[in-house]
mmCIF file of all heavy atoms in Angstrom:
data_model
loop_
_atom_site.group_PDB
_atom_site.id
_atom_site.type_symbol
_atom_site.label_atom_id
_atom_site.label_comp_id
_atom_site.label_asym_id
_atom_site.label_seq_id
_atom_site.Cartn_x
_atom_site.Cartn_y
_atom_site.Cartn_z
ATOM 1 N N SER A 175 105.446 105.867 92.826
ATOM 2 C CA SER A 175 104.323 105.319 93.535
ATOM 3 C C SER A 175 103.077 105.324 92.623
ATOM 4 O O SER A 175 102.060 104.819 93.027
ATOM 5 C CB SER A 175 104.020 105.946 94.813
ATOM 6 O OG SER A 175 103.741 107.311 94.620
ATOM 7 N N PHE A 176 103.145 106.063 91.396
ATOM 8 C CA PHE A 176 101.936 105.909 90.676
ATOM 9 C C PHE A 176 102.358 106.115 89.234
ATOM 10 O O PHE A 176 103.456 106.616 88.903
ATOM 11 C CB PHE A 176 100.921 107.189 91.005
ATOM 12 C CG PHE A 176 101.523 108.512 90.662
ATOM 13 C CD1 PHE A 176 101.174 109.141 89.519
ATOM 14 C CD2 PHE A 176 102.278 109.172 91.638
ATOM 15 C CE1 PHE A 176 101.695 110.431 89.274
ATOM 16 C CE2 PHE A 176 102.831 110.348 91.378
ATOM 17 C CZ PHE A 176 102.494 111.051 90.130
ATOM 18 N N ASN A 177 101.596 105.765 88.320
ATOM 19 C CA ASN A 177 101.852 105.821 86.930
ATOM 20 C C ASN A 177 100.748 106.530 86.050
ATOM 21 O O ASN A 177 99.549 106.201 86.162
ATOM 22 C CB ASN A 177 101.842 104.218 86.414
ATOM 23 C CG ASN A 177 102.129 104.118 84.923
ATOM 24 O OD1 ASN A 177 102.392 105.125 84.335
ATOM 25 N ND2 ASN A 177 102.158 102.876 84.506
ATOM 26 N N PRO A 178 101.091 107.719 85.566
ATOM 27 C CA PRO A 178 100.057 108.442 84.954
ATOM 28 C C PRO A 178 99.324 107.879 83.816
ATOM 29 O O PRO A 178 98.137 108.066 83.677
ATOM 30 C CB PRO A 178 100.848 109.713 84.345
ATOM 31 C CG PRO A 178 102.196 109.664 85.050
ATOM 32 C CD PRO A 178 102.495 108.304 85.475
ATOM 33 N N ALA A 179 100.039 106.943 83.116
ATOM 34 C CA ALA A 179 99.320 106.215 82.082
ATOM 35 C C ALA A 179 98.119 105.355 82.714
ATOM 36 O O ALA A 179 97.044 105.352 82.187
ATOM 37 C CB ALA A 179 100.270 105.263 81.262
ATOM 38 N N ASP A 180 98.500 104.708 83.911
ATOM 39 C CA ASP A 180 97.428 103.970 84.564
ATOM 40 C C ASP A 180 96.335 104.829 84.978
ATOM 41 O O ASP A 180 95.129 104.419 84.950
ATOM 42 C CB ASP A 180 98.028 103.218 85.771
ATOM 43 C CG ASP A 180 98.732 101.924 85.334
ATOM 44 O OD1 ASP A 180 98.531 101.568 84.218
ATOM 45 O OD2 ASP A 180 99.412 101.388 86.222
ATOM 46 N N THR A 181 96.646 106.067 85.458
ATOM 47 C CA THR A 181 95.590 106.962 85.938
ATOM 48 C C THR A 181 94.668 107.160 84.726
ATOM 49 O O THR A 181 93.415 107.177 84.888
ATOM 50 C CB THR A 181 96.174 108.258 86.350
ATOM 51 O OG1 THR A 181 97.205 108.032 87.262
ATOM 52 C CG2 THR A 181 95.147 109.134 86.964
ATOM 53 N N ASN A 182 95.149 107.537 83.604
ATOM 54 C CA ASN A 182 94.357 107.916 82.482
ATOM 55 C C ASN A 182 93.512 106.627 82.074
ATOM 56 O O ASN A 182 92.355 106.874 81.802
ATOM 57 C CB ASN A 182 95.189 108.296 81.281
ATOM 58 C CG ASN A 182 95.840 109.587 81.523
ATOM 59 O OD1 ASN A 182 95.404 110.369 82.374
ATOM 60 N ND2 ASN A 182 96.871 109.901 80.820
ATOM 61 N N ALA A 183 94.167 105.432 82.038
ATOM 62 C CA ALA A 183 93.322 104.256 81.735
ATOM 63 C C ALA A 183 92.223 104.012 82.697
ATOM 64 O O ALA A 183 91.041 103.705 82.282
ATOM 65 C CB ALA A 183 94.270 103.015 81.656
ATOM 66 N N LEU A 184 92.473 104.201 84.017
ATOM 67 C CA LEU A 184 91.417 103.880 84.958
ATOM 68 C C LEU A 184 90.286 104.956 84.860
ATOM 69 O O LEU A 184 89.153 104.660 84.965
ATOM 70 C CB LEU A 184 92.081 103.925 86.377
ATOM 71 C CG LEU A 184 92.867 102.696 86.799
ATOM 72 C CD1 LEU A 184 93.603 102.847 87.938
ATOM 73 C CD2 LEU A 184 91.996 101.490 86.850
ATOM 74 N N VAL A 185 90.727 106.232 84.706
ATOM 75 C CA VAL A 185 89.774 107.227 84.675
ATOM 76 C C VAL A 185 88.888 107.029 83.384
ATOM 77 O O VAL A 185 87.653 107.195 83.412
ATOM 78 C CB VAL A 185 90.410 108.697 84.647
ATOM 79 C CG1 VAL A 185 89.294 109.651 84.334
ATOM 80 C CG2 VAL A 185 90.926 108.874 85.969
ATOM 81 N N GLY A 186 89.529 106.701 82.374
ATOM 82 C CA GLY A 186 88.783 106.396 81.105
ATOM 83 C C GLY A 186 87.765 105.298 81.225
ATOM 84 O O GLY A 186 86.639 105.299 80.787
#
Side-chain angles (χ1 to χ4, degrees):
Chain A
S175 61
F176 67 96
N177 181 0
D180 277 350
T181 310
N182 292 338
L184 287 170
V185 170

